[in-house]
Amino acid sequence: MTDLQHTVLHDTHVASGARMVDFGGWHMPVNYGSQIDEHHAVRTAAGMFDVSHMRVVDVEGDAARTFLQKVLANDVAKLTTPGRALYSCMLNPSGGVIDDLIVYHFDARHYRLIVNAATAEQDIAWLGSAAAQGEFGVIITPRRDLAIIAVQGPQARARVWQAVAETRPATESLKPFSAADVETTGFGQLMVGRTGYTGEDGFEIVVPADHAPALWQALAAADVRPCGLGARDTLRLEAGMNLYGQDMDATTSPLDAGLAWTVDTRAERPFIGRDALASEAPRAFLGLILQGGGILRAHQQIHTRLGAGEVTSGTFSPTMQRSIGLARLPAGIAPGETVEVAVRDKRLAAEVVKLPFVRHGKILVEQPAAAGSAGTA
């Protein structure tokens, strides 16, 4: 494991007894004992995740907005208030997803991207190449001096305010997908964003790396439960949120990944990949609930009345107590239909549902009766 990258919180995780695994070249905690308990802690109270393997990238310059309008499928011109953010895909010329990311607007000359860990280096190279080719004159700065802690759950904000009281005045009125900068006495300057990847409320906190361990300990003292990547995956899947490299990649169009809402074509804006998307016939991207025993997993084949599909992510849902999955399906397949999934040597029935499965602690889909059961599980 010595060749794996470490976040600044690595020693804190090890000292806390976390089970560490290789996650895309990073030595990261998968759980601290019970992944199920960590999952429920986020759904019912507050949990925190070290996501410092993700990369903060600042984009600055007089042409920063114009540049990002070129390289992102969503339109940063929507961001007119400092601190506002949006979710977008960054596409290649064939319309495939290079990465999905969040972009924050500070002012007309300064934006901040949060990109995925596995794609960070290629993202930075892609941005640099696009900036040079278009002669935009922007400065692209990977912020390796910053760490990120995500605090999620119905009590997350209150417990952040308990741990760092100075954050409350600036963040109490924050709307979702907004952020505020807060100067603190013990943890340096924090960027606190009301964003997350669990389907629950909360904050994602960008903190100077050298202050991250102290912030983690302060949050733990405020009864925020440390959580690993195992719970993060079950939470995001229940929330119907894509995972890059699994539900989409550079060969996948955002239209095939349920992300058409992130592609803004209202303005005559020639963003990279736009022409390729215009000629696409997208497939459906929906949820599945397995009706019987078994577990849905990525790459399982799906048999439908209109042809083949594929499970892109699957897991056992701790909230629903059912096996659920995200699926790419032929266009025309709709919620309410039943399909068959090849699980090992069997074809198992699954109901197609609209995403998400769970948000803000509530199950949003009607669960089909399990095979051999008289009622809903």
Side-chain angles (χ1 to χ4, degrees):
M1 294 292 185
T2 56
D3 57 338
L4 297 179
Q5 298 184 77
H6 293 177
T7 74
V8 69
L9 288 165
H10 177 270
D11 291 348
T12 301
H13 303 316
V14 172
S16 299
R19 184 163 74 87
M20 307 294 287
V21 298
D22 178 353
F23 182 78
W26 291 80
H27 202 210
M28 298 294 291
V30 68
N31 60 57
Y32 292 79
S34 171
Q35 176 178 322
I36 299 297
D37 289 349
E38 292 167 19
H39 178 107
H40 290 313
V42 173
R43 286 278 180 253
T44 61
M48 60 182 170
F49 304 85
D50 175 14
V51 290
S52 305
H53 56 314
M54 301 179 72
R55 187 66 53 79
V56 177
V57 181
D58 285 344
V59 178
E60 298 174 270
D62 291 339
R65 175 180 294 177
T66 304
F67 170 64
L68 291 174
Q69 286 184 294
K70 179 71 173 180
V71 298
L72 299 181
N74 212 341
D75 192 353
V76 296
K78 298 174 183 176
L79 303 176
T80 57
T81 304
R84 288 292 289 167
L86 59 75
Y87 173 69
S88 181
C89 292
M90 185 163 63
L91 308 180
N92 57 35
S94 61
V97 180
I98 295 173
D99 199 8
D100 65 317
L101 53 87
I102 293 178
V103 54
Y104 294 88
H105 164 68
F106 293 142
D107 58 52
R109 299 189 74 260
H110 186 191
Y111 292 81
R112 172 166 287 174
L113 312 181
I114 309 291
V115 305
N116 282 304
T119 58
E121 296 307 321
Q122 72 178 40
D123 288 358
I124 294 164
W126 173 265
L127 290 166
S129 175
Q133 289 178 18
E135 298 182 347
F136 287 96
V138 294
I139 299 171
I140 299 168
T141 308
R143 297 295 305 273
R144 295 178 175 85
D145 58 321
L146 300 175
I148 312 173
I149 298 172
V151 187
Q152 301 282 285
Q155 298 176 26
R157 295 196 302 147
R159 294 189 185 181
V160 169
W161 296 330
Q162 179 183 339
V164 192
E166 295 154 299
T167 62
R168 185 165 189 163
T171 64
E172 191 165 16
S173 62
L174 271 185
K175 295 179 180 179
F177 268 74
S178 297
D181 284 329
V182 182
E183 188 65 43
T184 69
T185 53
F187 310 105
Q189 182 169 310
L190 308 179
M191 188 190 87
V192 183
R194 196 173 177 185
T195 51
Y197 191 55
T198 64
E200 298 298 329
D201 200 358
F203 292 136
E204 291 182 306
I205 305 171
V206 178
V207 53
D210 55 352
H211 289 298
L215 178 58
W216 184 271
Q217 297 295 351
L219 292 165
D223 205 22
V224 179
R225 181 169 185 147
C227 300
L229 296 176
R232 186 170 170 84
D233 192 54
T234 54
L235 289 159
R236 70 92 190 169
L237 209 159
E238 287 185 348
M241 295 177 172
N242 292 32
L243 175 64
Y244 190 85
Q246 192 158 302
D247 302 299
M248 58 185 166
D249 58 25
T251 67
T252 310
S253 159
L255 308 184
D256 277 348
L259 297 176
W261 61 275
T262 71
V263 178
D264 191 327
T265 57
R266 292 176 296 177
E268 293 297 324
R269 180 175 57 94
F271 62 83
I272 296 170
R274 177 172 183 153
D275 292 344
L277 297 184
S279 61
E280 277 207 16
R283 290 168 285 177
F285 191 79
L286 294 163
L288 297 179
I289 303 177
L290 199 62
Q291 294 185 6
I295 299 292
L296 294 177
R297 300 293 187 198
H299 309 303
Q300 290 169 339
Q301 293 302 295
I302 304 169
H303 303 272
T304 83
R305 62 182 177 83
L306 296 176
E310 183 181 27
V311 177
T312 59
S313 285
T315 192
F316 183 79
S317 163
T319 302
M320 296 170 60
Q321 291 293 295
R322 301 296 290 273
S323 182
I324 62 172
L326 308 182
R328 208 164 348 265
L329 298 164
I333 299 298
E337 295 193 41
T338 298
V339 299
E340 292 185 328
V341 183
V343 179
R344 296 182 179 174
D345 58 347
K346 298 179 180 179
R347 287 191 181 187
L348 303 181
E351 182 170 334
V352 179
V353 298
K354 183 180 178 181
L355 296 168
F357 301 97
V358 180
R359 283 285 173 92
H360 301 298
K362 295 181 179 180
I363 298 172
L364 302 181
V365 296
E366 185 175 344
Q367 299 187 66
S373 170
T376 301

